[in-house]
Amino acid sequence: MTLALPPRAVRPPAPAPPSAGLHATARIVARADAAGATRLPVLDGDGPLALRRIRAGAGQARVCVVSAMSAPLGGDRLALEATAEAGTALHVTAAAATVALPGRTGETATYDVRLTVGEGARLDWLPEPLISARGSDLRMTTTVELAPTARLVLREEQVLGRSGEETGALRSRLTVRRAGRTLLDQETAYGPGVPGWDTSAVLDGNRALGQLLVVGPEFEDGPAEVRLFGDGPGQGVLAPLAGPGALATAVAPDALRLRRLLDEAARAVAG
């Protein structure tokens, strides 16, 4: 006769130690009133992310993100959520660039942006650049959920290092889904520990990079034409997506030149 041994007790894994940094989530909700005007029933800043209403323009509700303190620092866990409900028009900008800085513990900081755009709604997401300062380590994600008739204009600019300094470590992922299907999913990484990022095959000496994404039902009638732009330092390309949208990507020696390239791309899309 064989005796069964009692099962061994399995010790649950120890919980991960909490981050020593700041945890904060800011929220924006745009909602249409009975007359169809866009209101802001939720404008909830948190920690370093202060939210301010600014004068409406072109039928849009407008919000400016103001930094209330230096962030993100190493170990910080920041999030910003914005929802443009059905039939609304929301424009979000920022008062100044976001600077990723090193923290006291050497932990990675995270900054998660989550955007939702409902039926017939439009979101213009136009923040100022993100600057990766020397010694910083930031993981940034931007996730967008679009209804089939939603419109999105999203600008993303990154500057590797402040003037005269080396860059920190920066990893960024942008995921856009429309009607539940993935329209765009890309990830980039730059700085210490990332092989080849500063070679001629990637940035070729440039320290500013960015993109302009435009999504809307109008692209179903015909895709955007491929176009190269930039006849000076830096260059960019505008290309259609495999879906109703266009993506412009540019690299430049500095933030000012990068903005000019992306503005040129925006005019090309609009024209």
Side-chain angles (χ1 to χ4, degrees), residues 6-78:
R8 295 180 60 187
V10 178
R11 179 177 298 176
S19 169
L22 177 69
H23 292 230
T25 299
R27 296 178 176 87
I28 305 168
V29 175
R31 183 171 297 154
D33 64 15
T38 300
R39 306 299 181 191
L40 298 169
V42 177
L43 198 61
D44 184 14
D46 190 16
L49 303 174
L51 305 175
R52 300 288 184 264
R53 289 180 175 87
I54 55 179
R55 181 175 297 180
Q60 290 181 309
R62 298 168 68 91
V63 176
C64 183
V65 181
V66 179
S67 179
M69 63 183 76
S70 295
L73 304 176
D76 286 354
R77 302 288 181 261
L78 306 182

Side-chain angles (χ1 to χ4, degrees), residues 124-196:
D124 291 351
W125 187 261
L126 304 171
E128 292 300 305
L130 168 67
I131 300 173
S132 176
R134 180 179 180 178
S136 64
D137 187 353
L138 177 65
R139 172 68 167 147
M140 183 168 186
T141 63
T142 302
T143 304
V144 187
E145 297 286 350
L146 301 173
T149 57
R151 288 176 169 82
L152 172 72
V153 178
L154 182 149
R155 184 179 67 217
E156 190 175 67
E157 299 166 307
Q158 298 166 349
V159 180
L160 304 180
R162 292 169 293 191
S163 179
E165 76 172 5
E166 298 176 356
T167 182
L170 176 61
R171 291 164 177 78
S172 177
R173 183 171 183 175
L174 171 62
T175 305
V176 181
R177 288 185 286 267
R178 177 178 178 269
R181 299 184 64 180
T182 300
L183 180 64
L184 177 67
D185 191 352
Q186 65 178 28
E187 185 165 5
T188 56
Y190 306 99
V194 180

Side-chain angles (χ1 to χ4, degrees), residues 129 155-159 207-211 229 233-235 249-264:
R155 184 179 67 217
E156 190 175 67
E157 299 166 307
Q158 298 166 349
V159 180
R207 284 297 182 268
L209 56 141
Q211 53 196 357
F229 52 93
Q235 57 187 355
T249 304
V251 296
D254 55 53
L256 179 59
R257 179 58 181 163
L258 176 66
R259 178 65 61 85
R260 289 174 175 169
L261 289 171
L262 294 180
D263 285 347
E264 183 179 344

